[in-house]
Amino acid sequence: MALRSLPTLKFFSVTIPTQYVVHVEINRPQKLNAFFGPMWFELKAIFEHLTHDPDVRVILLSGAGDRAFTAGLDVEQAAKANNPLSASVSDPSRKATSLRRHILELQDAITSVARCEKPVIALLHGYTYGLGIDLSSACDMRFCTNDTKFCVKEVDIGLAADVGTLSRLPKVVGGVTSWVKDVCLSARPFSAEEALKNNFVSRVVDGGKPELLKEGLETAKYLAGKSPVAVLGTKNILDASWGRTIEDNLNYTAVWNSAMLQSSDVQKAMLSGLQKRTPTFEKL
Amino acid sequence: MALRSLPTLKFFSVTIPTQYVVHVEINRPQKLNAFFGPMWFELKAIFEHLTHDPDVRVILLSGAGDRAFTAGLDVEQAAKANNPLSASVSDPSRKATSLRRHILELQDAITSVARCEKPVIALLHGYTYGLGIDLSSACDMRFCTNDTKFCVKEVDIGLAADVGTLSRLPKVVGGVTSWVKDVCLSARPFSAEEALKNNFVSRVVDGGKPELLKEGLETAKYLAGKSPVAVLGTKNILDASWGRTIEDNLNYTAVWNSAMLQSSDVQKAMLSGLQKRTPTFEKL
Amino acid sequence: MALRSLPTLKFFSVTIPTQYVVHVEINRPQKLNAFFGPMWFELKAIFEHLTHDPDVRVILLSGAGDRAFTAGLDVEQAAKANNPLSASVSDPSRKATSLRRHILELQDAITSVARCEKPVIALLHGYTYGLGIDLSSACDMRFCTNDTKFCVKEVDIGLAADVGTLSRLPKVVGGVTSWVKDVCLSARPFSAEEALKNNFVSRVVDGGKPELLKEGLETAKYLAGKSPVAVLGTKNILDASWGRTIEDNLNYTAVWNSAMLQSSDVQKAMLSGLQKRTPTFEKL
Amino acid sequence: MALRSLPTLKFFSVTIPTQYVVHVEINRPQKLNAFFGPMWFELKAIFEHLTHDPDVRVILLSGAGDRAFTAGLDVEQAAKANNPLSASVSDPSRKATSLRRHILELQDAITSVARCEKPVIALLHGYTYGLGIDLSSACDMRFCTNDTKFCVKEVDIGLAADVGTLSRLPKVVGGVTSWVKDVCLSARPFSAEEALKNNFVSRVVDGGKPELLKEGLETAKYLAGKSPVAVLGTKNILDASWGRTIEDNLNYTAVWNSAMLQSSDVQKAMLSGLQKRTPTFEKL
Amino acid sequence: MALRSLPTLKFFSVTIPTQYVVHVEINRPQKLNAFFGPMWFELKAIFEHLTHDPDVRVILLSGAGDRAFTAGLDVEQAAKANNPLSASVSDPSRKATSLRRHILELQDAITSVARCEKPVIALLHGYTYGLGIDLSSACDMRFCTNDTKFCVKEVDIGLAADVGTLSRLPKVVGGVTSWVKDVCLSARPFSAEEALKNNFVSRVVDGGKPELLKEGLETAKYLAGKSPVAVLGTKNILDASWGRTIEDNLNYTAVWNSAMLQSSDVQKAMLSGLQKRTPTFEKL
Amino acid sequence: MALRSLPTLKFFSVTIPTQYVVHVEINRPQKLNAFFGPMWFELKAIFEHLTHDPDVRVILLSGAGDRAFTAGLDVEQAAKANNPLSASVSDPSRKATSLRRHILELQDAITSVARCEKPVIALLHGYTYGLGIDLSSACDMRFCTNDTKFCVKEVDIGLAADVGTLSRLPKVVGGVTSWVKDVCLSARPFSAEEALKNNFVSRVVDGGKPELLKEGLETAKYLAGKSPVAVLGTKNILDASWGRTIEDNLNYTAVWNSAMLQSSDVQKAMLSGLQKRTPTFEKL
């Protein structure tokens, strides 16, 4: 199976700040990194490439510019484009079919981030609205600046969030808490502090976006130094635990590790630990 | 399908403080709003009516009087009434059948709150014991005064809570944490502060019950101004996420929205957003 | 069904500090209570005995000595012993089969703690690394001293944790949060304070190990005074809620209580409550 | 919990051919027993009464007249009545909400048959079309005459069957077989012989409807002579097996029988077996 | 969302024998239609196109030539190609990662058939070995000639079938029967008659491949005349029933039909039924 | 992990009729192989040994003597022994706890057969009543003589079958069919022919028990010649499919085979196939 090649990108930039670490940046700052049609395909193409690229061990995801991770859907574009919502289909069942296919395709783009074998750290600043929650919920970790403005915005545009927030928020914050209902039903903005208190982010970084990127990069470098076999397995098994019983997950873990414990990484890591040396691991 | 009519109520009061908002009050303050036989049927009848009433968008649930949301089951009544526990059936399998039918019926009353299509906000003050936890766990949000006294009381009357707490607490606070086990196994009381820290309530209101009702009403009014199609869908999909995989829930969301995105609310909400106007939505 | 007898123990001590309370201590302090081969079998034998012993109502689990609950796997022993990892099987599928059987057996030892019918309180101090997380995640409650050092260490030895942490941590802290991913992927140590903030422990005790043991014992005595029928049922039903829907769990609860509400404990507990007396319950 | 009383019935007849056996007959033969509005409510009311009636142990369900069990939905009535389909709601999301509520209510009527604690035997003859499949799939056993004409008719009226067939057929015939897809996608009629070969019915009775009723009654009498505790438990546990794992179901079974094995029926049945006598069991 | 275009095909032929019916033929008869590398991608591309093509309502899938539907994997090609199995990776964990990615990709090609919104009828003749079972199990219906030779061949090449048979056979034949275990564990061939008796195929056609194609085409034309909204919904809901509870599936059905019952097809189909006319339905 | 040793057996005989094949015989023919106390422990000990014994690839399970596979529970013994049913515990909740523990332990003995990694073929003759159905349902295949008499006997002794039949029958015959309900609710005996028609057995052998044993042995030898890695994996994955979604099972299969495809068996089996030789596989 060949590695999927990375297409030419117009709305994202992909750089390699240090070995094994890739930085993916949503790059439409003049529109607050709002999403429209072609961006979904770029997003999916990027993550379908990175998931299998042996030179990649950790991914950072952020938004270009000073003002936003992403302000969400580009509503103006959505209004004018010949999109499924405005299509001139009169039969409601046929329109529903078209909408369902469209939603599934958008969901699939976001899910390409969640499906990525390597850890993805979302670095959030400024407006992180609507789609910004859907997208960062599909990442493994979320760090933010202390002035990030969050909002599950969809109710304000007359719909239930349908590309991931409602499915993934209970997983990443722990349950369908009173707070989850509050912010999802009201579409009210919330602060970095509130996001931290309710477990949506695990770190709030003082000092603005440069400090955030620095902390993200340090964490990524740290993870990139670990056994990629161990890191990938840990992510896979943790994700497989959601919505399944503990018995199921334990058995799945045993099957997974029946191959993975045969890794040379185990001997290398143990030995390095005893000898206080830093191990070097083969690509994966 | 006709709207189920609201019966004459003896132990609850139902009022409409403002358009689209209904206030349901447990109204047996002289007994600390403790529950006995007929109250279960009233509770269910109320929520089976409100769930489909197009004039209702948000529901507030509180307890009358100064002292309690509800002190739980009315143990004295339970002791004297010819209830299943004290019934003179000698065969344990037949008694078990009777008890199982009885528990399922009580659970069904509480579940009528959880099944209600519209958001329900529990406003808690004073004693919120036993059944008070079962009942408020079936609501979408929980706010409380800072002197609310909580207790998962059932172990103290020799039984495992069986009308909802043990099933819903892990959903609404996030998992079967050390704290959940602590308060459920010990039946020890806990404070508003502890309830907030452990995500059982999302707001603690200073200033007593009047302030609590005010904050509840403001939140309800705010939600009632949103698209009812969006609010109802958000609640439904969030609730459907529990105990199911993310893949399942994403597909369910796509099917749900294939009809709901055809709503006139979407155009109205988008346009109002662009024009900075307050939209008005049709009844649902 | 006869009670399984307790074997002679070399690496654990089992004492009865007060009626109905058992204290299980990992007793290999000179090696920081690190685990190797025979300890797994002792652990399982102890909990398979205690689960059905009518003289036991609550179990405390701690580590001997001043320095550690347990530092995890004894890597030196693991390296030299003729263990599955180092076995001279060349065919990867046969080695995988051997490893899978081995992992399932170790998981089963840890699961014997989770399966124990009686509540188990983990009292953590000093190093609580690797296996220390797997083991304490299988307990019902976790208390710790304020100088406990936690670490999901497995990534540092080149593997995904496979005897329980990745399956149980989402259950006991609430979801696959950003913090869970952070500490599991990075293998970085974390403090008692961080463990409390993220719901891994529910109490941090000041004053060192003696104070911790004292608080653990008081809690255990308190629980031991409650109806054992109620306590056992509460634990069973809460554990059954994970990975299942609320509807499923409610029905399971009704079936469970159809027998358990016939307990003499219910009458005793109710009456004692009304009469302000302390009830005494039969053994279970 | 009081027994729900049986309402006055216009479209069903309910008789007691022999002790403990109830015969429910769809009674609108002039319209081939086709269903319209009020019949759904009668159906539900009947089964909500019978499920808890201690004088009932087995239920027979058949259609009046010579020509049909039921020809399905009364399309003419459906066309003229002010039903949800023809309602003058223009917003598709509000129409969808109304339709969803309506479907859930009809499903609930059919589900009242499946939820009935006592075994229900469907006796099928003549036209068993559309709703006839939905309804009989909710029964425990299906017997038919050799000239019964079956049809999953819904595709022919432009819709996917939504009151039970598509959910229950895979359960009652075993999987989503090539045959299930064939008859459900094509809406082609099929014979008694084909129904037997594909496990939809378990008996085809020669000699027409009188012979069918006779065989149904004999089977019902036979079952009514057994321990009602054993019969009810067997039905409950078998139904609980669908869509769940074997481990889950085994545990559920153990909890169920922890009460039910205390039945006096066990001693009576065992003793009668050894003494070759016919036991008599208490009502349930 | 644009329709995915159909690529140039080298190993499949795609024809339109009659309106709305597409015939996909595996076209490598000189090698008994055995699969190797590029064929998987063609298969997936074809079905990702057909699933959304409004001119397609039913799909026939067969094998070119007289001798085989498909003899399975082309083992010779597999042996010489630089495939994952023979790749020179020495570390077992890295080889496992490569194999896992490869299997998931092949599974995904087969799953594209199962995911296709339109019904797919497999027409089987001659050798239907290994992959032939995986592939036809992902179809909705299976018809065969009376001289078809079936075999779950994988055990004979030293592996457990991993691209679908073991997951889908229990779904399409009904459970993990003694027969399923027999043919899967032994890799013994079985006849058309045995396939029919055990519900793997639903029709065995006398007269060889031409008769089979004729019967397939007639069935396809028949289905193509039905409401595409009804047919697509029926397939979707039946497939969603597997591995889920009936309650879950009923709710899903209600949500699905809340949009689909608004179809013009319903009125057209009902009216045509009453007027004994053949309806014509819009494209979907 | 050491192989569990086989204890001295009093009620079973274990022989090795040919290399890699083990024959387990229930050996209490004077009591129609009816089960009582110590037999459960022997059964479990045997299968916990065989599952990991590298000299075992296939297991045959039959009953000694001419008259029965097993007549089920030894009711006389059950009546007189100090078993949980007759124990003098008066509190129904404590009796329920004791019964639940007892049932779980008996289930676990039967489940040891289902958990066995190697295929188990049940060879059934004569009385196969009650426990005989529970036990053979836990096997992979079931063959029988044409005079076998089957009965799900439990309802006749006043209880719902609780050691496996109700959980496993839907899995091994395909769904909760009308026939399954019929034989489970009525406790009526059924013939070999009926068992074959309804997929409980897959072969009925003419000529009595010697012919049955001969056919069983031939099948076992045939399977024992296959790659043990492939056979074990096929059984494991098929069993894991029940009660889970296809997506789940496909992913599990990919993880399983990521280790197992690295087997030397694959090369050996492929090569032998091309060279028309019989391969020899290493022990597992």
Side-chain angles (χ1 to χ4, degrees), chain D residues 106-126:
Chain D
L106 298 189
Q107 285 179 349
D108 193 50
I110 300 286
T111 297
S112 71
V113 180
R115 249 191 325 245
C116 178
E117 293 183 351
K118 323 293 172 54
V120 184
I121 305 174
L123 301 175
L124 311 171
H125 79 288

Side-chain angles (χ1 to χ4, degrees), chain B residues 99-227:
Chain B
L99 285 166
R100 189 175 54 81
R101 290 171 182 168
H102 183 63
I103 299 167
L104 290 172
E105 193 157 64
L106 299 189
Q107 286 179 348
D108 194 49
I110 300 286
T111 296
S112 72
V113 179
R115 249 189 328 244
C116 178
E117 294 183 352
K118 323 293 172 54
V120 184
I121 305 174
L123 301 175
L124 311 171
H125 78 288
Y127 290 103
T128 300
Y129 269 37
L131 179 58
I133 306 286
D134 293 285
L135 182 53
S136 56
S137 297
C139 299
D140 297 289
M141 289 182 239
R142 284 157 296 284
F143 301 169
C144 70
T145 59
N146 56 21
D147 60 352
T148 312
K149 285 168 285 298
F150 297 94
C151 186
V152 182
K153 192 66 183 169
E154 282 86 347
V155 159
D156 266 354
I157 49 173
L159 51 92
D162 56 9
V163 294
T165 291
L166 303 184
S167 301
R168 292 198 175 93
L169 207 55
K171 175 189 167 193
V172 303
V173 309
V176 190
T177 62
S178 187
W179 179 80
V180 165
K181 287 275 178 78
D182 180 349
V183 296
C184 290
L185 293 171
S186 71
R188 69 167 174 80
F190 57 97
S191 67
E193 189 188 10
E194 195 173 341
L196 180 67
K197 195 202 153 303
N198 289 286
N199 301 317
F200 183 62
V201 300
S202 53
R203 296 191 207 172
V204 177
V205 179
D206 287 331
K209 197 179 158 194
E211 295 304 313
L212 175 72
L213 293 180
K214 199 176 145 213
E215 174 134 356
L217 187 54
E218 269 163 29
T219 303
K221 278 169 78 170
Y222 188 78
L223 294 182
K226 305 288 175 183
S227 154

Side-chain angles (χ1 to χ4, degrees), chain E residues 69-175:
Chain E
F69 173 68
T70 171
L73 219 57
D74 186 333
V75 177
E76 280 179 55
Q77 280 285 347
K80 76 177 148 196
N82 59 340
N83 71 1
L85 269 173
S86 54
S88 61
V89 180
S90 65
D91 182 67
S93 71
R94 286 170 173 79
K95 194 160 188 173
T97 300
S98 168
L99 285 165
R100 189 175 53 83
R101 291 171 182 166
H102 184 63
I103 297 165
L104 290 172
E105 192 156 67
L106 299 189
Q107 286 179 348
D108 193 50
I110 299 286
T111 296
S112 72
V113 179
R115 249 190 327 245
C116 179
E117 293 183 351
K118 322 295 172 53
V120 183
I121 306 174
L123 302 175
L124 310 171
H125 79 288
Y127 290 102
T128 300
Y129 270 39
L131 179 58
I133 306 288
D134 294 284
L135 183 53
S136 56
S137 296
C139 298
D140 296 290
M141 289 182 237
R142 284 156 297 283
F143 299 171
C144 71
T145 59
N146 55 21
D147 60 353
T148 310
K149 285 167 286 295
F150 296 94
C151 186
V152 182
K153 192 66 182 169
E154 282 85 346
V155 159
D156 266 353
I157 48 172
L159 52 95
D162 55 10
V163 295
T165 291
L166 303 184
S167 301
R168 292 199 175 92
L169 208 56
K171 175 190 167 192
V172 302
V173 309

Side-chain angles (χ1 to χ4, degrees), chain C residues 130-184:
Chain C
L131 178 58
I133 306 288
D134 293 284
L135 183 53
S136 56
S137 297
C139 299
D140 296 290
M141 291 182 238
R142 283 158 297 284
F143 300 170
C144 71
T145 59
N146 56 19
D147 60 353
T148 311
K149 285 167 287 296
F150 296 94
C151 186
V152 182
K153 192 67 183 168
E154 282 85 348
V155 159
D156 265 353
I157 49 172
L159 51 94
D162 55 10
V163 295
T165 291
L166 303 184
S167 301
R168 292 198 176 93
L169 206 56
K171 174 188 168 194
V172 301
V173 309
V176 191
T177 62
S178 188
W179 178 80
V180 165
K181 286 275 178 81
D182 180 348
V183 296
C184 290

